Amino acid sequence: MTAVPYDMRQNPGTDVFDPGFGIYVHWPFCAAKCPYCDFNSHVRHQPVDQPRFVQAFLKEMAAMRRLTGSRSVTSIFMGGGTPSLMAPETVDAILNGIARHWHVPDGIEITMEANPSSVEAERFRGYRAAGVNRVSLGVQALNDRDLKFLGRLHDVADALKAIRLARDIFPRMSFDLIYARPNQTVEEWDRELREAVSYAVDHLSLYQLTIEEGTPFYGLHKAGKLVVPDGEQSAVLYEATQEITEREGMPAYEVSNHARPGAESRHNLTYWRYGDYVGIGPGAHGRLTTGGAKIATATERRPEGWLELVEAGGHGMVDQELLEREAQADELLLMGLRLKEGIDLARWQTLSGRDPDPERERFLIEHGFIERLGNSRLRCTPAGMLILDAVVADLAC
Ligand SMILES: C[S@@+](CC[C@H](N)C(=O)[O-])C[C@H]1O[C@@H](n2cnc3c(N)ncnc32)[C@H](O)[C@@H]1O
Ligand code: SF4
């Protein structure tokens, strides 16, 4: 695929009415497993047969193309795992495959996740030449003690080198940090975040550390050997995060995502605006409109199991569920209330066949958790974002 300069005017990222059509490709391998992570990522001690995976990705794309019909893609995202362990030729073959199956307009957002420890300038240039125009770096912390605690293979020097390289090579760049670490004070986080903002280009993802079941951190936490900030401390850290990023011109447009206006991740907006997306690769999920119905797809999680399914049957899908309108309304609420722009009420009403329960809505408004934007939109207030799951549960019933 020819590399085209990214053109912000072609990014319909601020068009609330166009949820878009994204393609997600999952690379399920990492150099090491981080102790907090429950993503579908696996460590292999033998080299991964990338050409074999490419063939399987192409086959599964053909199966997905039969479901979606011909469509124009608004964004592509290669996530993981650690996609920056892929050779540039692998990335090039994946992007070429997507362009053979769907219409890929010039200049659409093409993002790839990268780990600072697996970054080499040559590979970054290769990804850029293949068509990647946005990179999302897993920096996680800007001090070596916490990087070590998080089990990361990189140190701060590696992270800064990766940020510099990404800024030089890609038109757009984001990086992730994890906060609300054990014993992290608001003063420490304040300093670290200000430093991060000074390195940022147009986008930052700031996640609170979540203790996920089945991870080593979960075991330590349960045994009382790892203590994370409680609800009140987390709220203080969250509010400091909002204040600092807003002051620096990178306000939150979603619970954990911050951008300069116009630089929001087009791909993630498609998820949160409840648009269609194809999920390709082991453990990838999709939401597709096919034959007038919306379906949820899920593929086999185990990489080798997925490969075998694709090679034998043309795709690795293990689940295809028809989503009834009520289920779609719930998903729209769950995803859309994460966004500062909130949800389009008319769309939700059409799907659910009802208005929000007036009493519940009044209660949530009076307590300052949600608000109406004119007659057409409903959104969470900053206080509501802190108890988002409860707000969604209340409105969904
Ligand atoms: C699936 S990872 C992929 C990026 C890349 N592999 C990396 O870790 O650098 C996406 C992001 O999710 C975040 N993440 C993963 N597990 C998390 C957890 N338990 N709590 C908070 N953030 C988490 C990290 O910030 C990570 O960069
Ligand atoms: S590198 Fe990323 S995907 Fe891999 S284990 Fe760590 S957090 Fe998870």
Side-chain angles (χ1 to χ4, degrees):
M1 182 185 277
T2 358
V4 272
Y6 184 79
D7 181 351
M8 198 65 82
R9 284 163 306 173
Q10 291 174 326
N11 178 11
T14 49
D15 180 355
V16 179
F17 304 102
D18 173 17
F21 174 62
I23 310 278
Y24 176 81
V25 180
H26 191 78
W27 184 254
F29 301 110
C30 288
K33 184 85 187 172
C34 304
Y36 54 83
C37 176
D38 78 338
F39 282 82
N40 188 31
S41 61
H42 306 262
V43 178
R44 295 287 176 265
H45 298 291
Q46 301 298 320
V48 171
D49 187 346
Q50 296 199 20
R52 188 172 166 203
F53 269 88
V54 166
Q55 289 314 309
F57 284 136
L58 299 180
K59 262 189 156 179
E60 191 163 66
M61 274 175 214
M64 295 293 180
R65 167 65 174 77
R66 286 192 288 279
L67 284 176
T68 65
S70 119
R71 287 190 72 168
S72 195
V73 178
T74 49
S75 62
I76 298 171
F77 195 102
M78 282 169 281
T82 305
S84 51
L85 293 175
M86 284 191 276
E89 298 73 44
T90 303
V91 173
D92 191 60
I94 291 170
L95 293 178
N96 277 316
I98 294 172
R100 277 200 304 278
H101 287 96
W102 292 277
H103 174 56
V104 179
D106 284 352
I108 64 157
E109 178 186 286
I110 303 180
T111 305
M112 187 168 145
E113 285 179 339
N115 281 26
S117 50
S118 64
V119 162
E120 292 160 30
E122 271 319 291
R123 280 230 293 267
F124 261 21
R125 292 206 177 86
Y127 301 145
R128 178 73 190 107
V132 174
N133 53 29
R134 183 173 180 274
V135 78
S136 172
L137 282 174
V139 168
Q140 319 308 358
L142 287 172
N143 72 74
D144 285 340
R145 183 202 60 198
D146 287 355
L147 283 173
K148 209 164 176 194
F149 161 75
L150 290 168
R152 302 296 301 201
L153 297 178
H154 64 275
D155 59 16
V156 175
D158 295 331
L160 297 186
K161 183 178 144 223
I163 291 172
R164 266 195 303 275
L165 258 184
R167 290 178 65 127
D168 283 351
I169 294 174
F170 298 96
R172 295 173 72 200
M173 190 270 282
S174 177
F175 59 88
D176 299 353
L177 292 179
I178 296 179
Y179 70 102
R181 304 168 207 144
N183 303 318
Q184 190 176 32
T185 65
V186 72
E187 290 75 25
E188 283 168 347
W189 175 230
D190 185 294
R191 257 197 312 278
E192 195 171 332
L193 182 54
R194 277 171 210 278
E195 188 186 345
V197 170
S198 76
Y199 303 139
V201 176
D202 59 6
H203 194 285
L204 276 178
S205 300
L206 306 170
Y207 300 108
Q208 293 209 10
L209 177 62
T210 315
I211 304 298
E212 304 286 358
E213 210 172 329
T215 60
F217 271 13
Y218 183 81
L220 289 172
H221 184 250
K222 236 179 133 189
K225 293 181 181 157
L226 191 159
V227 181
V228 286
D230 63 16
E232 206 174 304
Q233 286 167 295
S234 296
V236 170
L237 289 163
Y238 179 79
E239 275 153 18
T241 307
Q242 308 314 306
E243 261 176 51
I244 295 166
T245 51
E246 223 158 90
R247 207 174 326 130
E248 301 290 338
M250 293 184 77
Y253 64 98
E254 189 264 352
V255 180
S256 309
N257 283 276
H258 301 253
R260 302 206 187 282
E264 298 85 1
S265 156
R266 178 74 187 104
H267 188 82
N268 288 338
L269 279 176
T270 293
Y271 296 155
W272 298 316
R273 288 177 176 162
Y274 204 42
D276 277 8
Y277 52 94
V278 172
I280 291 162
H285 290 256
R287 289 288 179 281
L288 304 174
T289 305
T290 176
K294 185 123 172 165
I295 60 166
T297 65
T299 55
E300 166 61 42
R301 283 172 65 85
R302 290 170 304 118
E304 291 74 19
W306 173 84
L307 262 182
E308 281 165 19
L309 282 179
V310 179
E311 286 170 351
H315 64 79
M317 270 180 284
V318 288
D319 200 15
Q320 261 192 53
E321 185 196 347
L322 176 72
L323 293 166
E324 300 296 346
R325 293 171 81 81
E326 187 67 27
Q328 291 181 48
D330 287 349
E331 287 196 333
L332 179 112
L333 200 64
L334 190 71
M335 301 307 274
L337 285 184
R338 301 182 64 88
L339 287 171
K340 195 172 183 182
E341 70 188 26
I343 61 157
D344 177 0
L345 263 178
R347 193 174 162 211
W348 183 78
Q349 283 158 333
T350 307
L351 286 172
S352 65
R354 64 183 173 92
D355 289 330
D357 180 275
E359 275 195 23
R360 285 173 198 271
E361 187 183 348
R362 198 172 322 116
F363 175 87
L364 291 169
I365 290 177
E366 279 173 11
H367 284 78
F369 295 131
I370 59 169
E371 60 191 0
R372 286 249 188 168
L373 297 171
N375 277 334
S376 62
R377 304 194 72 79
L378 181 83
R379 70 169 179 190
C380 272
T381 60
M385 287 287 190
L386 282 170
I387 52 155
L388 185 60
D389 292 348
V391 172
V392 171
D394 226 17
L395 287 169
C397 0

